[in-house]
């Protein structure tokens, strides 16, 4: 071959004796075929065949299969974010004239999707009390196609009765989907409780290092998998193998990170309960948290995210107190090695059940720093709220 051709065509090198613990990062847009017949028959490769880079490479498929096994499902599709996962479920199932039920504690962008985009396309949206349990049967009508669940509510931390909601939906032939990002499949498995779509923001605990954006949808029904794949294909949605490689690295330490962060977060929640600057602590392991009994029944344990409702009147000093933190970073995500704090205002978002608290909310994500140093940082923040 001449030089220009050799620049394009890579040589084959022997791989005998080579073995690595790392999953190779396969990047591809074009998938090539061994001959003309194979290309002409590419549609027959099925949902697990390689046909084009947008539909997956061995790297993305490895992550999808690992998540499928953790979730106890049949197949997983990967999407660019947790919000994209929820959006893909809704866009796959819902059409004009249909109705979707979403909880009042839902991740705010889901509310935006529902009211600004779905409703404008003729899809009705009903917001329900996240603690409604079996009572959701009274909201399901002949047009309802999907009941969305978030457990627990991000920020507000209510834990809904997933089995009761699923039973009511199934009795009417209605699908259910669950945002399980807080717990991950290590602490709660939605599919084992009858949920049809288990969604995760892999950005959080799976990635684990605050350096990727990724989401997943796992199902037990192959027809639902096929329908999701059709939606992704029609919208041209795929994920980067590089992001998946980061997620594959992060997932290897997820179990130990989650156990440590959950243990420290619960300890902090119990120690913060009753502090003079704190009105209430919202942590599912605490008896006062809505849905605590369900949490104790259905979850293996807590993750590292919980919230504080501060006493009314601390608002004026909150910005300065947050700015003086030494270890906690101010940011809206969670699940990474760095501890985070995010001030939240839940009251304006509630439309079905009024938010009962007047003071500001701080959502905490516990990372991997020394616990006592983190505790000192929190203590100093609370002291500054006293002026």
């Amino acid at each position: 071959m001449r030089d220009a051709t050799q620049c394009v065509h890579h040589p084959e090198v022997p791989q005998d004796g080579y073995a690595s613990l790392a999953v190779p990062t396969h990047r591809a847009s074009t998938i090539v075929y061994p001959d003309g017949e194979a290309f002409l028959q590419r549609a027959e490769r099925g949902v697990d065949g390689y046909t084009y880079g947008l539909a997956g490479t061995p790297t993305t498929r490895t992550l999808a299969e690992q998540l499928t096994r953790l979730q106890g499902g049949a197949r997983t599709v990967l999407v660019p974010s947790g919000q994209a996962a929820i959006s893909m479920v809704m866009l796959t199932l819902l059409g004009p004239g249909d109705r979707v039920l979403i909880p009042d504690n839902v991740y705010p962008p889901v509310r935006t999707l529902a009211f600004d985009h779905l409703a404008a396309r003729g899809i009705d949206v009903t917001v329900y009390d996240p603690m409604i349990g079996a009572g959701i049967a009274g909201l399901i009508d002949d047009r309802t196609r999907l009941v969305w669940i978030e457990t627990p509510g991000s920020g507000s931390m209510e834990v809904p009765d997933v089995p009761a909601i699923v039973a009511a939906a199934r009795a009417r032939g209605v699908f259910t989907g669950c945002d399980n990002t807080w717990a991950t499949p290590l602490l709660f498995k939605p599919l084992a409780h009858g949920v049809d779509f288990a969604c995760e923001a892999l950005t959080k605990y799976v990635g684990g290092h605050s350096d990727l954006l990724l989401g997943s949808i796992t199902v037990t029904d192959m027809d639902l998998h096929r329908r999701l794949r059709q939606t992704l294909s029609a919208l041209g949605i795929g994920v980067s193998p590089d992001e998946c490689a980061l997620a594959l690295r992060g997932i290897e330490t997820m179990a130990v990170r989650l156990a440590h962060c959950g243990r420290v977060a619960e300890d902090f929640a119990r120690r913060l309960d009753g502090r003079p600057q704190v009105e209430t602590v919202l942590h599912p392991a605490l008896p006062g948290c809505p849905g605590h009994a369900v949490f104790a029944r259905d979850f293996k344990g807590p993750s590292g995210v919980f919230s504080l409702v501060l006493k009314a009147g601390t608002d004026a000093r909150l910005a300065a107190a947050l700015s003086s933190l030494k270890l906690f970073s101010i940011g809206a995500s969670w699940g990474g090695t760095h501890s985070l704090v995010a001030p939240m205002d839940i009251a304006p978002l509630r439309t079905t059940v009024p938010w009962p608290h007047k003071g500001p909310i701080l959502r905490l994500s516990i990372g991997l720093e020394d616990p006592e140093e983190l505790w000192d940082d929190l203590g100093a923040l609370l002291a500054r709220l006293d002026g």
Side-chain angles (χ1 to χ4, degrees):
M1 288 189 288
R2 296 180 179 178
D3 286 352
T5 303
Q6 290 200 78
C7 286
V8 175
H9 291 264
H10 302 290
E12 292 187 10
V13 297
Q15 297 189 24
D16 295 342
Y18 174 78
S20 172
L21 294 174
V23 178
T25 304
H26 292 273
R27 303 180 185 90
S29 56
T30 297
I31 303 295
V32 296
Y33 296 77
D35 52 51
E37 184 67 19
F39 182 79
L40 292 172
Q41 301 298 322
R42 65 191 182 279
E44 297 179 7
R45 293 190 171 190
V47 295
D48 296 323
Y50 295 105
T51 55
Y52 191 66
L54 197 65
T57 73
T59 307
T60 63
R61 297 285 175 84
T62 300
L63 177 60
E65 178 60 23
Q66 195 162 5
L67 292 167
T68 297
R69 295 181 184 189
L70 285 172
Q71 295 279 10
R75 290 292 191 282
T76 294
V77 297
L78 302 174
V79 291
S81 68
Q83 173 67 7
I86 299 168
S87 299
M88 290 307 101
V89 172
M90 294 190 177
L91 291 176
T92 297
L93 293 183
L94 301 171
D98 291 341
R99 169 172 283 131
V100 59
L101 308 184
I102 63 173
D104 213 5
N105 63 357
V106 76
Y107 178 52
V110 178
R111 193 183 289 261
T112 302
L113 168 71
F115 285 102
D116 291 359
H117 296 278
L118 300 182
R121 288 155 178 80
I123 298 166
D124 287 343
V125 181
T126 298
V127 181
Y128 68 88
D129 177 355
M131 305 309 294
I132 196 171
I136 201 159
L139 300 179
I140 297 174
D141 61 16
D142 291 340
R143 295 189 297 132
T144 305
R145 294 291 175 269
L146 174 67
V147 178
W148 191 254
I149 305 166
E150 184 166 319
T151 185
S154 55
S156 57
M157 294 293 139
E158 305 102 325
V159 182
D161 191 335
V162 173
I165 293 173
V166 168
R170 281 199 164 185
R172 296 291 299 273
V174 173
F175 291 113
T176 52
C178 180
D179 182 341
N180 191 48
T181 303
W182 183 88
T184 82
L186 299 183
L187 302 176
F188 181 72
K189 298 185 189 296
L191 300 179
H193 293 275
V195 171
D196 297 295
F197 300 89
C199 292
E200 306 265 348
L202 308 180
T203 306
K204 311 286 197 297
Y205 281 117
V206 170
H209 293 79
S210 307
D211 58 1
L212 67 88
L213 291 166
L214 213 58
S216 67
I217 312 163
T218 306
V219 296
T220 57
D221 185 298
M222 286 300 294
D223 183 61
L224 293 180
H225 172 69
R226 178 188 58 78
R227 292 173 64 182
L228 286 169
R229 288 284 298 270
Q230 288 175 338
T231 302
L232 295 178
S233 177
L235 295 176
I237 295 199
V239 298
S240 163
D242 295 277
E243 301 285 87
C244 292
L246 290 174
L248 284 164
R249 184 187 64 181
I251 204 170
E252 292 185 10
T253 61
M254 181 171 69
V256 291
R257 286 186 286 105
L258 197 62
H260 171 84
C261 295
R263 182 172 60 252
V264 175
E266 182 175 351
D267 176 53
F268 281 12
R270 296 187 185 281
R271 292 161 72 178
L272 287 163
D273 198 22
R275 289 288 294 256
Q277 307 89 346
V278 177
E279 178 185 328
T280 189
V281 178
L282 301 174
H283 188 297
L286 271 58
C289 187
H292 165 72
V294 171
F295 170 79
R297 182 191 71 194
D298 294 342
F299 286 67
K300 289 186 177 179
S303 74
V305 180
F306 68 102
S307 297
L308 304 178
V309 179
L310 302 174
K311 291 282 180 68
T314 56
D315 308 63
R317 294 181 290 276
L318 182 57
L322 289 169
S323 298
S324 63
L325 284 164
K326 302 247 187 293
L327 294 180
F328 279 87
S329 298
I330 304 170
S333 193
W334 76 68
T337 58
H338 293 255
S339 294
L340 296 174
V341 58
M344 307 181 73
D345 188 7
I346 290 176
L349 300 174
R350 292 300 179 111
T351 57
T352 300
V353 183
W355 184 244
H357 307 290
K358 302 300 182 185
I361 300 165
L362 295 182
R363 187 180 67 193
L364 303 177
S365 171
I366 302 301
L368 300 183
E369 301 92 344
D370 179 83
E372 287 311 309
E373 287 190 308
L374 287 176
W375 178 252
D376 290 343
D377 207 24
L378 277 179
L381 177 144
L382 294 179
R384 292 184 192 104
L385 291 176
D386 281 336

